[in-house]
């Protein structure tokens, strides 16, 4: 069967009436993908061996320009539990995940990423948690480098056991988990809850799921799974060229938009204006994320006086020099900040000092 024939056959399925005698799947693993033909097969391989009755995979392809359709054709021929939708044009990651949930038929939707891996037993562990009458599950993850050869962080959430949050705990949940939730692949949400909440306001934010989770009213039945069930392929994000804008503007704007959480809690998750922090600017300069172009585009009209001089001066520091200083700082004083060292190592200004620090810390 050709790729187009496979696609037409699978795409027609969710638009047909459901058989009255058939029960809806318990879990839909929803993946939005774009240009990941090199990686998505490995992701699917980590899932397929764990599939059980009542689990489906929904893939929305935002008009990938690479060989993603050909890769998917091979998997469609192997597994009837996969449904693949190729969009005619790219409408952005937020809309594509929203479409995936719309196409899904499961009671819960796992918003899985297109280049990371599920660890053995992950699906069974999540299904077990869903039996406890929750609306939202958050799945912990480990972090490895881009080829999975080295473990960068064994566990992003430092939880020793599962945690359950009820209605009185919404601020504690926000404090303890919101930063981690910038990673969409950890979210397993009741489909009806997702569809009942505002999504359109968060299209284009790059963090639609965070908007759905923390908008009013707070979700009152949440479980965080402590065991890392996902392996993140770190340093492979599609938005890496935009990360200065994303983390210093888009992310804080979103975090500070939520009305049900105190300013103290929001400040603990993210400063309201992190671009005012000279140390952050220096780090972004060291990793290649902050250049004179970012200064002109984002900061020149916002800062004045001494801060203007410092912001411009940091943008003009030679990137290699900033990277050396940053590497020595983290290598000597902040060895626990392994993700920061990884960012320095894989930025455009990495140098022998950066590689020496990474070897020292086995990164």
């Amino acid at each position: 069967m050709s790729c187009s024939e496979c696609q037409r056959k699978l795409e027609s399925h969710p638009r047909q009436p459901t058989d009255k005698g058939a029960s809806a799947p318990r879990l839909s693993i929803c993946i939005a993908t774009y240009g990941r033909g090199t990686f998505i097969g490995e992701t699917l391989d980590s899932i397929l061996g764990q599939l059980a009755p009542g689990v489906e995979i929904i893939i929305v392809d935002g008009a990938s320009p690479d060989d993603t359709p050909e890769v998917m054709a091979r998997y469609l021929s192997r597994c009837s539990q996969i449904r693949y939708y190729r969009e005619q044009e790219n409408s952005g990651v937020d809309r594509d995940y929203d479409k995936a949930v719309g196409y899904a038929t499961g009671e819960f939707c796992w918003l899985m990423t297109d280049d990371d891996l599920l660890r053995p037993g992950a699906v069974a562990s999540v299904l077990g948690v869903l039996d406890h009458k929750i609306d939202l599950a958050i799945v912990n993850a480990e972090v490895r480098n881009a080829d999975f050869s080295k473990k960068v962080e064994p566990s992003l959430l430092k939880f020793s056991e599962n945690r359950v949050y009820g209605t009185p705990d919404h601020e504690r949940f926000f404090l303890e988990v919101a930063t981690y939730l910038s990673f969409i692949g950890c979210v397993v949400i009741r489909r009806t809850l997702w569809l009942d909440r505002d999504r359109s306001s968060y299209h284009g934010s790059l963090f639609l799921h965070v908007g759905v989770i923390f908008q009013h009213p707070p979700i009152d039945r949440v479980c965080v799974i402590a065991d890392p069930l996902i392996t993140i392929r770190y340093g492979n994000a599609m938005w890496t060229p935009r990360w200065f804008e994303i983390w210093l503007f888009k992310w804080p704007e979103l975090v500070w938009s939520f009305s049900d959480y105190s300013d103290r809690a929001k400040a603990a998750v993210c400063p309201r204006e992190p671009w005012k922090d000279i140390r952050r600017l220096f780090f972004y300069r060291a990793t290649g994320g902050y250049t004179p172009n970012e200064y002109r585009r984002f900061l020149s009209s916002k800062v004045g006086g001494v801060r203007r001089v410092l912001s411009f001066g940091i943008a003009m520091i030679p990137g290699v020099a900033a990277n050396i200083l940053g590497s020595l700082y983290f290598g000597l004083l902040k060895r626990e900040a392994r993700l920061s060292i990884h960012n320095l190592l894989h930025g455009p200004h990495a140098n022998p000092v950066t590689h020496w620090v990474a070897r020292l810390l086995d990164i």
Side-chain angles (χ1 to χ4, degrees):
M1 184 180 295
S2 70
C3 175
S4 59
E5 288 171 337
C6 286
Q7 182 176 326
R8 285 195 298 271
K9 180 179 178 181
L10 273 296
E11 282 188 350
S12 67
H13 180 271
R15 295 180 176 86
Q16 302 301 318
T18 303
D19 293 340
K20 291 183 179 179
S23 59
R26 182 67 161 156
L27 179 65
S28 300
I29 300 175
C30 299
I31 300 174
T33 190
Y34 178 76
R36 295 304 182 94
T38 303
F39 304 106
I40 194 167
E42 196 171 1
T43 297
L44 290 173
D45 288 339
S46 76
I47 300 172
L48 293 185
Q50 304 186 40
L51 287 185
V55 181
E56 65 177 2
I57 301 174
I58 306 296
I59 298 176
V60 173
D61 178 357
S64 293
D66 64 355
D67 65 342
T68 296
E70 288 74 26
V71 173
M72 287 308 308
R74 297 195 291 271
Y75 284 90
L76 292 170
S77 67
R78 289 168 47 192
C79 181
S80 63
Q81 289 165 275
I82 301 175
R83 287 189 283 136
Y84 173 63
Y85 301 85
R86 179 168 170 82
E87 301 297 311
Q88 296 302 307
E89 59 183 27
N90 187 281
S91 56
V93 64
D94 296 320
R95 288 176 176 84
D96 285 350
Y97 270 110
D98 207 3
K99 291 174 185 176
V101 175
Y103 291 145
T105 58
E107 183 180 357
F108 287 87
C109 291
W110 187 342
L111 307 181
M112 183 57 188
T113 42
D114 61 357
D115 62 338
D116 301 318
L117 308 181
L118 294 191
R119 299 184 68 188
V123 173
S125 295
V126 167
L127 288 172
V129 166
L130 298 184
D131 289 335
H132 295 291
K133 296 182 179 180
I134 63 167
D135 292 315
L136 174 67
I138 305 302
V139 183
N140 202 357
E142 66 173 11
V143 180
R144 289 184 176 267
N145 60 358
D147 64 4
F148 299 123
S149 62
K150 288 185 179 293
K151 186 177 291 187
V152 181
E153 284 285 355
S155 179
L156 284 176
L157 288 172
K158 310 303 182 185
F159 294 178
S160 58
E161 57 185 16
N162 292 359
R163 295 187 186 181
V164 176
Y165 301 86
T167 302
D169 307 314
H170 71 273
E171 180 127 336
R172 183 167 64 90
F173 171 61
F174 183 81
L175 273 166
E176 294 177 352
V177 185
T179 300
Y180 174 61
L181 279 170
S182 62
F183 169 58
I184 193 171
C186 68
V187 175
V188 184
I189 190 167
R190 189 177 294 275
R191 182 171 180 268
T192 53
L193 175 64
W194 177 278
L195 295 177
D196 285 344
R197 291 167 86 84
D198 175 25
R199 287 113 57 211
S200 60
S201 295
Y202 302 100
H203 287 168
S205 70
L206 302 179
F207 300 104
L208 167 66
H209 60 294
V210 177
V212 169
I213 290 170
F214 290 120
Q215 66 182 251
H216 180 80
I219 299 174
D220 61 3
R221 295 181 297 178
V222 182
C223 178
V224 176
I225 301 173
D227 288 339
L229 302 180
I230 307 168
T231 298
I232 295 175
R233 187 193 301 265
Y234 195 70
N236 199 45
M238 296 291 289
W239 56 34
T240 299
R242 297 177 55 197
W243 72 330
F244 182 85
E245 175 189 7
I246 291 165
W247 297 117
L248 271 65
F249 292 90
K250 281 184 171 290
W251 175 249
E253 180 181 356
L254 178 63
V255 168
W256 282 84
S257 72
F258 301 125
S259 60
D260 289 309
Y261 309 95
S262 68
D263 286 356
R264 179 188 66 84
K266 287 183 275 195
V269 171
C270 178
R272 190 164 201 157
E273 297 176 317
W275 48 269
K276 288 184 175 180
D277 186 340
I278 297 301
R279 292 171 300 178
R280 287 177 191 261
L281 293 186
F282 188 90
F283 175 74
Y284 278 88
R285 181 67 190 124
T287 56
Y290 179 53
T291 70
N293 182 59
E294 280 72 33
Y295 169 79
R296 288 189 296 269
R297 182 180 174 192
F298 298 108
L299 297 185
S300 61
S301 63
K302 292 180 177 293
V303 295
V306 174
R307 180 170 279 119
R308 183 182 182 90
V309 173
L310 290 174
S311 300
F312 178 73
I314 290 172
M316 298 302 295
I317 294 174
V320 171
N323 190 286
I324 290 172
L325 291 174
S327 298
L328 291 174
Y329 170 76
F330 285 107
L332 296 175
L333 301 176
K334 293 284 184 179
R335 291 190 172 196
E336 71 279 5
R338 295 173 63 85
L339 292 180
S340 296
I341 298 168
H342 188 279
N343 288 333
L344 290 166
L345 177 65
H346 293 278
H349 305 308
N351 56 81
V353 173
T354 324
H355 288 274
W356 174 77
V357 170
R359 286 195 300 273
L360 181 68
L361 301 180
D362 193 29
I363 294 177

